[in-house]
Amino acid sequence: MMPTLRVFTSFCCSAGLAIAVRVPSSHNGRPALVVPTLPEVRAILAQLQGPIVSTLIARAALPAEPSLYSDGGRFLTSFIHKKEVVAQATGRYTYGTLEYPFTLPLVSPDTITSINSFPGGVFHQDTYTPNPGLLSFYLRTLVALLGDANAAVEGTSIFFHLTQPAGPADRDTKFTLDAQLLASLSHRASIGKVVAEAKFNANITAYTPLIQSRDRGSLRVLLTNTTQEQVVLDGAANASLELATAWETAQAASPTISTNFITRVQIAVAEVYRELIDMTTDVEMEYLLQRLD
Ligand SMILES: *[C@@H]1O[C@H](CO)[C@@H](O)[C@H](O)[C@H]1NC(C)=O
Ligand SMILES: *[C@@H]1O[C@H](CO)[C@@H](O)[C@H](O)[C@H]1NC(C)=O
Ligand SMILES: *[C@@H]1O[C@H](CO)[C@@H](O)[C@H](O)[C@H]1NC(C)=O
């Protein structure tokens, strides 16, 4: 028998989240990790909304400076790479953290053996990461939306500085927020692996033949719950309205500036959450397609 389920959450440097419990038995030197139930995972995902929206607003308050991203993201990825080398040394990307780097090799996948059968409800590491698609969305779509929101504040936002930020001296702040937002979105989407395991475990007889026949269409139908998607989109819309309004109130911005900034932040957050839901479904799908390997 698996021990009683517990979920550990921790908000350290990255709103990072350890989401499964260690079981004493281990395989290949890795712990067996029992995933939470679907309602528990969803409750955790809801807690990641605030940090994601707050980081997006903080980034939107700084000038977008599109030239920082005009080289296909090379400046940003080289900034992220340096951070990831340090993060890797601290164990951020080890087995079961559900943190996956953008610029470093991923943790190796699990293989089912006779000793190690991976029963339903136990996390099974796959090789998929949403990160390339996420980075491309960020550069292609989100940078422009952040720029639109920033244009609305007309240079009035002082963020946490006494002077209005501009120029190279502020690039570290911008890239730090970009890196933080990307890591949070990646982590949020990667929790889809745990969502998929919880769904698989709740209906192994329905999922197994679809995985074996690699029936992506039917798997997608079984994985998708549009009612739940709407709950997530509504929650994100609520959070963006509340947090962007609080931000503008704190800055004593004029009503016109406030309205424009809040509206454009809401557009950006809605785009991010639509993308996040689709990326998470892809993560769930790819996780399941390797689940019986
Ligand atoms: C499993 O999924 C099948 C196909 O969607 C459905 O008919 C069945 O009721 C589900 N069983 C459980 C226990 O949810
Ligand atoms: C879909 O999600 C809603 C809202 O979370 C939930 O009440 C419902 O039971 C879910 N439907 C299925 C088929 O899992
Ligand atoms: C969003 O806000 C509306 C209006 O306050 C509320 O009725 C709804 O329950 C909220 N939805 C979520 C998912 O937080």
Side-chain angles (χ1 to χ4, degrees):
M1 278 304 294
M2 295 300 179
T4 315
L5 179 78
R6 285 177 57 207
V7 180
F8 299 110
T9 58
S10 67
F11 284 84
C12 86
C13 28
S14 66
L17 181 66
I19 200 170
V21 67
R22 279 160 191 263
V23 173
S25 65
S26 80
H27 48 275
N28 304 337
R30 288 173 169 180
L33 299 171
V34 177
V35 305
T37 62
L38 205 46
E40 288 171 322
V41 181
R42 285 181 177 152
I44 292 165
L45 292 178
Q47 296 309 309
L48 297 182
Q49 196 172 67
I52 288 172
V53 175
S54 295
T55 308
L56 186 150
I57 290 171
R59 181 63 189 87
L62 293 171
E65 215 181 336
S67 63
L68 288 183
Y69 310 92
S70 62
D71 60 344
R74 194 171 48 83
F75 295 140
L76 177 59
T77 48
S78 92
F79 180 90
I80 288 173
H81 178 69
K82 292 188 190 93
K83 284 175 64 70
E84 289 190 341
V85 168
V86 176
Q88 186 178 45
T90 70
R92 182 168 179 175
Y93 308 120
T94 49
Y95 184 71
T97 60
L98 299 173
E99 297 268 14
Y100 299 91
F102 285 82
T103 70
L104 300 172
L106 302 177
V107 63
S108 62
D110 287 318
T111 309
I112 294 179
T113 64
S114 53
I115 300 168
N116 187 4
S117 62
F118 286 92
V122 171
F123 177 68
H124 176 273
Q125 179 63 58
D126 63 323
T127 57
Y128 185 74
T129 171
N131 289 358
L134 172 56
L135 184 63
S136 150
F137 166 77
Y138 201 93
L139 297 170
R140 200 184 60 241
T141 305
L142 192 54
V143 166
L145 293 171
L146 293 168
D148 287 347
N150 183 258
V153 297
E154 299 167 5
T156 61
S157 174
I158 59 169
F159 195 29
F160 47 72
H161 304 290
L162 289 174
T163 55
Q164 291 191 6
D170 212 53
R171 285 183 184 162
D172 182 69
T173 311
K174 292 173 184 171
F175 277 161
T176 299
L177 288 166
D178 291 327
Q180 170 70 22
L181 188 49
L182 280 164
S184 300
L185 293 171
S186 167
H187 182 58
R188 167 66 173 73
S190 298
I191 292 174
K193 295 171 194 283
V194 171
V195 170
E197 185 61 43
K199 289 178 178 174
F200 172 73
N201 191 37
N203 201 339
I204 292 174
T205 51
Y207 279 104
T208 299
L210 300 181
I211 295 169
Q212 284 166 342
S213 61
R214 311 195 70 73
D215 184 348
R216 288 172 173 266
S218 302
L219 277 173
R220 193 171 286 276
V221 169
L222 203 50
L223 287 169
T224 301
N225 181 336
T226 51
T227 308
Q228 177 58 25
E229 287 181 5
Q230 197 55 51
V231 170
V232 172
L233 292 169
D234 289 348
N238 286 1
S240 64
L241 177 61
E242 186 185 323
L243 293 169
T245 302
W247 182 274
E248 289 303 277
T249 303
Q251 311 259 359
S254 77
T256 308
I257 287 177
S258 287
T259 304
N260 285 338
F261 182 71
I262 293 164
T263 304
R264 293 178 197 186
V265 162
Q266 286 198 275
I267 291 169
V269 168
E271 281 275 338
V272 164
Y273 264 81
R274 184 64 258 170
E275 185 73 15
L276 206 41
I277 287 170
D278 294 341
M279 279 191 310
T280 305
T281 306
D282 290 341
V283 167
E284 292 174 42
M285 171 83 81
E286 300 305 324
Y287 175 91
L288 286 178
L289 287 170
Q290 294 182 34
R291 178 60 180 79
L292 306 176
D293 292 355

